[in-house]
Amino acid sequence: AVAHATQSVAPAERLALLGRVLRLWDQVPDAAERTGTDRPGVLEQAMLTAELAGDHQRGLAFADAALTELRPAAELGPPAAPARVASILCKRSVFKKFLGRPGGWDDLQAALALVPAEAGADTDGLSTAEATARAEILLEMAPFGATARDRAYDEEALALARRFGAVRAEVNAL
């Protein structure tokens, strides 16, 4: 049903269905196999769908929940899937901005720290997910390119997007 709602461009309906999936998650022993993703993946889908539905409050709640599940306590070591966590932090900063909440800039800085900077022209160490996440974070940090720092962020984002085929980030950078 969630997939059908996605195809029919019905974000409010899809959001309700994703909420139902999350409520039933613990009652279904093979939920990850049935849905093709883990619980944080469903939370990410819900977060992105809430954004499409214009429900920033719920998007923020889903982002917080996804981060809670993906980011282990500091004593357990670094977070798994840094690009994934970085993307959620970036999206959380957007929700905070729209809701007039503090902490968005801190989220962006934490997100940027999770994905490596480009080392000269050598990007062999970057995965596509890391490069795309970094480009999206840089663009959120410099939405208008008004200052020299903003333009440098935009230029790095554009170069990463082009090199790794991140079309959406390239369009935003342009």
Side-chain angles (χ1 to χ4, degrees):
V2 170
H4 179 71
T6 301
Q7 294 170 356
S8 67
V9 192
E13 180 181 342
R14 182 170 193 251
L15 190 55
L17 292 169
L18 286 164
R20 187 177 304 163
V21 168
L22 289 166
R23 282 190 301 280
L24 296 173
W25 190 268
D26 292 332
Q27 298 174 31
V28 180
D30 58 347
E33 290 79 27
R34 287 176 180 257
T35 61
T37 189
D38 56 5
R39 182 176 162 82
V42 176
L43 288 164
E44 288 175 84
Q45 289 179 39
M47 173 190 72
L48 296 171
T49 303
E51 181 182 34
L52 290 173
D55 192 340
H56 303 298
Q57 186 65 44
R58 286 183 74 192
L60 179 60
F62 288 128
D64 286 339
L67 289 169
T68 297
E69 292 194 22
L70 287 173
R71 294 173 69 181
E75 62 270 11
L76 297 178
R84 187 177 186 189
V85 172
S87 291
I88 296 169
L89 282 167
C90 182
K91 191 59 65 181
R92 185 171 77 170
S93 76
V94 172
F95 292 130
K96 287 179 178 179
K97 177 176 67 176
F98 280 113
L99 293 168
R101 302 249 176 101
W105 186 255
D106 294 337
D107 282 346
L108 290 171
Q109 290 180 315
L112 200 58
L114 288 172
V115 289
E118 184 176 25
D122 177 25
T123 59
D124 291 339
L126 287 177
S127 71
T128 299
E130 290 169 332
T132 301
R134 184 169 179 85
E136 290 173 355
I137 294 160
L138 289 166
L139 291 171
E140 191 60 41
M141 293 176 84
F144 302 111
T147 68
R149 183 191 71 177
D150 292 350
R151 286 188 293 282
Y153 286 163
D154 289 340
E155 289 170 9
E156 181 184 347
L158 181 60
L160 286 169
R162 285 182 169 162
R163 188 167 296 123
F164 288 89
V167 176
R168 183 176 12 164
E170 181 179 356
V171 168
N172 287 336
L174 289 170

